[in-house]
Amino acid sequence: MQLDSQRVDIRKRMRSLRKNLSQTEQKSAANALNINISQVIKVKKATKIGGYLSNDGEPDLSPAFENIWGQKGRTYLPIIHPFSGVHLLFQHYEKNSPMKANRYAILEPVLNCSHICPVAELDYILTPLVAFDSQGNRLGMGGGFYDRTFAQIPDDKVKKPILIGVAHQCQEVDTLPIASWDVPLDYIITPERIYCTTR
Ligand SMILES: Nc1ncnc2c1ncn2[C@@H]1O[C@H](COP(=O)(O)OP(=O)(O)OP(=O)(O)O)[C@@H](O)[C@H]1O
Ligand SMILES: [Mg+2]
């Protein structure tokens, strides 16, 4: 299918671009992102923020996590749902949380049901992505994990999590070939720019 092959091509190209960034570029990206993220996320005591641990050249959120913790915000990391295997659960994460590798060798908190926050109750979710456009469209790694998880947020909920894509500037494309199930983002934050796409 035309759409699929376009998406496969973009994923290949963008993953290689971000994987080729040097350690110095990654470090300065992480610091600049922390500043831009703090422009969008107003952290108060117990503000609940979903994030991720970087993999495959994704921007590192460590400086942003440190900043959030310093302001008494709470951070959550995704865990692949142990039964469905295709949805994400968000579990509270702090510096010393026990961690284990998932099937993609990405560290996730060891499942503890009492530390899970229902996705619709998070205030903000910072997602990694492979490519984005300025309209807030997101292309991920192709698993559909984020799309399936965001689809569980009730449409009629008054206060929904604000969805923020985090990317290197080189991950922007003019227009993404979008599928019906792709959930668009409210913001995209790069080290250089903040795109507000709330529609
Ligand atoms: N809400 C949904 N319900 C059922 N299946 C879904 C849903 N969203 C996505 N999928 C399935 O997931 C597969 C991958 O989706 P897609 O190519 O959009 O992944 P992605 O957005 O790149 O990945 P991710 O969300 O993990 O970052 C699709 O083939 C689609 O069938
Ligand atoms: Mg998608």
Side-chain angles (χ1 to χ4, degrees):
M1 196 175 113
Q2 174 79 7
L3 180 81
D4 273 347
S5 70
Q6 282 178 350
R7 284 160 74 97
V8 168
D9 280 355
I10 298 173
R11 283 195 182 98
K12 204 168 154 199
R13 190 155 48 86
M14 298 320 233
R15 285 183 63 188
S16 112
L17 279 181
R18 72 180 183 187
K19 272 202 268 201
N20 283 336
L21 295 170
S22 68
Q23 275 193 3
T24 316
E25 286 168 321
Q26 285 285 3
K27 196 152 193 276
S28 72
N31 289 327
L33 274 165
N34 174 33
I35 293 168
N36 285 351
I37 289 170
S38 67
Q39 303 288 311
V40 174
I41 300 189
K42 298 298 166 206
V43 184
K44 291 190 225 121
K45 191 161 185 268
T47 301
K48 298 195 271 298
I49 302 156
Y52 64 87
L53 294 188
S54 58
N55 171 51
D56 196 60
E58 292 162 356
D60 177 14
L61 287 182
S62 310
F65 280 153
E66 292 287 346
N67 196 13
I68 292 163
W69 293 334
Q71 295 172 82
K72 308 268 181 264
R74 286 171 68 82
T75 53
Y76 294 78
L77 286 181
I79 296 182
I80 298 176
H81 195 292
F83 304 138
S84 85
V86 292
H87 294 87
L88 300 174
L89 295 169
F90 281 86
Q91 183 166 308
H92 184 225
Y93 165 68
E94 44 198 351
K95 215 179 220 129
N96 299 318
S97 296
M99 307 291 285
K100 78 175 208 328
N102 67 17
R103 65 171 113 119
Y104 299 107
I106 300 170
L107 285 181
E108 49 181 47
V110 175
L111 182 63
N112 176 337
C113 294
S114 64
H115 293 169
I116 297 283
C117 177
V119 65
E121 304 297 318
L122 291 167
D123 297 303
Y124 300 89
I125 303 176
L126 296 163
T127 77
L129 53 81
V130 175
F132 70 95
D133 67 23
S134 60
Q135 306 301 300
N137 294 310
R138 168 183 185 279
L139 190 70
M141 294 277 272
F145 291 98
Y146 282 97
D147 286 322
R148 286 195 192 83
T149 307
F150 294 159
Q152 296 175 322
I153 301 169
D155 249 350
D156 56 356
K157 196 171 186 299
V158 180
K159 198 181 155 296
K160 294 188 207 186
I162 295 172
L163 307 181
I164 304 173
V166 179
H168 298 288
Q169 194 61 50
C170 62
Q171 292 173 256
E172 181 174 12
V173 296
D174 280 348
T175 325
L176 272 181
I178 281 310
S180 55
W181 57 79
D182 285 323
V183 178
L185 302 163
D186 300 306
Y187 290 86
I188 313 247
I189 303 182
T190 73
E192 276 115 88
R193 282 188 62 182
I194 297 171
Y195 305 71
C196 174
T197 59
T198 312
R199 46 197 93 197

